[in-house]
């Protein structure tokens, strides 16, 4: 079995929450949002976890403790840029990277295990968790070719009306072959509406290089919900109360 490292992206401010508190450290059902993601990683058997921090980094570190490795993203220039900050730590690593966003507290160890298993069984270079919505939220859309192969992800901000009609969305949770993906991160550009380096762009880069991209679909879309607004916070809090 290939070695695995978990990477939690937790550097953002969360401006839409309209709070000075770092979004991922906000308490939900008695625990910081990001702690749910870290615990899911641990439950999936991932022993080494790297957390990318940025805005009020000390607060995030304090909320999680010192059992993990931390990397600082000094300027929050997007998720692709966030993962770039881990390259020095991982320069000699050969194995799989489980990359998760730190604001999705409903992700669980079963989903992460399923992601890793599918990634390894298909010998993919990248596997992304996707799900389907009848009326998709503003998430990146998964674009496939006529053979149903994933060719790219288009963010909501940059999507045409036709692309926005696609019901399959990206969850922002991935499993990557480190030795394939990390060297290609430098090809991500910020020529988009937000002038950010989107990690989602790595999918199109991989396909252009002839690499294998797979998807792992989660039937219940609620489990990949991220928290960007107070309304989403309350929705996730209610769901957590209902879980066993």
């Amino acid at each position: 079995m290939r070695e695995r490292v978990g990477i939690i992206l937790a550097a953002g401010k969360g401006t839409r929450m309209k709070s000075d508190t770092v979004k991922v450290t906000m308490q939900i059902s008695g625990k910081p949002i990001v702690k749910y993601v870290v615990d899911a990683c641990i439950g999936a058997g991932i022993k080494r976890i790297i957390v990318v921090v940025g805005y009020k980094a000390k607060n995030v570190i304090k909320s999680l403790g010192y059992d993990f490795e931390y990397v600082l993203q000094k300027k929050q220039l997007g998720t692709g840029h966030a993962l770039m900050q881990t390259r020095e730590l991982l320069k000699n690593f050969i194995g799989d990277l489980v990359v998760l966003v730190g604001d999705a507290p409903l992700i669980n160890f079963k989903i992460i295990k399923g992601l890793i298993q599918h990634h390894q069984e298909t010998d993919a270079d990248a596997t992304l968790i996707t799900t389907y919505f009848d009326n998709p939220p503003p998430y990146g859309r998964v674009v496939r070719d006529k053979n149903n192969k994933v060719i790219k992800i288009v963010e909501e901000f940059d999507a045409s009306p036709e692309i926005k009609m696609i019901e399959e969305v990206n969850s922002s949770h991935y499993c990557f072959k480190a030795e394939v993906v990390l060297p290609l991160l430098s090809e991500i550009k910020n020529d988009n509406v937000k002038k950010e380096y989107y990690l989602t762009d790595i999918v199109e880069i991989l396909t252009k290089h002839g690499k294998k991209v797979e998807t792992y679909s989660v039937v219940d879309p609620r489990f990949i919900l991220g928290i960007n607004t107070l309304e989403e916070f309350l929705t996730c809090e209610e769901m957590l109360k209902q879980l066993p």
Side-chain angles (χ1 to χ4, degrees), residues 17-35:
M17 296 299 291
K18 297 180 179 178
S19 171
D20 288 334
T21 303
V22 190
K23 177 175 64 173
V24 298
T25 67
M26 294 179 71
Q27 296 275 326
I28 185 167
S29 295
K31 191 161 70 173
I33 292 171
V34 69
K35 187 68 166 57

Side-chain angles (χ1 to χ4, degrees), residues 178-244:
E179 65 272 26
V180 173
V181 171
L182 291 179
L184 292 175
L185 291 177
S186 58
E187 295 190 23
I188 298 176
K189 308 300 179 186
N190 67 340
D191 49 353
N192 52 66
V193 172
K194 296 183 75 176
K195 296 300 178 184
E196 291 186 354
Y197 296 88
Y198 296 149
L199 183 53
T200 46
D201 286 354
I202 197 64
V203 172
E204 186 172 11
I205 291 166
L206 287 164
T207 56
K208 286 181 176 178
H209 281 275
K211 303 302 182 182
K212 187 175 184 180
V213 177
E214 282 283 325
T215 58
Y216 177 70
S217 184
V218 173
V219 176
D220 189 338
R222 294 176 298 176
F223 285 102
I224 62 95
L225 288 175
I227 295 177
N228 291 298
T229 65
L230 181 57
E231 182 181 8
E232 290 169 345
F233 178 92
L234 295 173
T235 298
C236 286
E237 186 173 46
E238 191 59 36
M239 278 194 64
L240 284 167
K241 289 177 182 178
Q242 297 170 9
L243 293 174

